[in-house]
Amino acid sequence: MLMGFKQDQEKMSKSDPFSAIFMEDTEKEVEEKVNLAYCPPGQVAKNPCLEYLRYIVFGTFKEFTVQRHKDHGGDK
């Protein structure tokens, strides 16, 4: 089980729809959840966004781009 998207949430919870991405979520819902997710800069341990990337995204794709405004260093 993956961590929930909220700070100090050890696992996702069906009772909190913003704690995880579900199969029936629309693209808009996924985008909203990811944009609100706890993702502390420079922290690898207990970082739900990095955990999702590790187990879901990198299992399928070899590349991943984080789109950021140029004021925040641009895309990575």
Side-chain angles (χ1 to χ4, degrees), residues 1 10 17 31 37 43-44 46-47 52 61 63 65 76:
M1 176 149 330
E10 292 296 320
E31 187 175 325
Q43 180 179 324
V44 176
K46 295 193 176 190
N47 186 324
Y52 269 73
F61 302 99
E63 259 184 42
T65 301
K76 288 243 179 207

Side-chain angles (χ1 to χ4, degrees), residues 38-58:
Y38 175 68
C39 190
Q43 180 179 324
V44 176
K46 295 193 176 190
N47 186 324
C49 291
L50 294 180
E51 187 176 60
Y52 269 73
L53 288 171
R54 178 180 180 196
Y55 291 109
I56 297 173
V57 176
F58 292 136

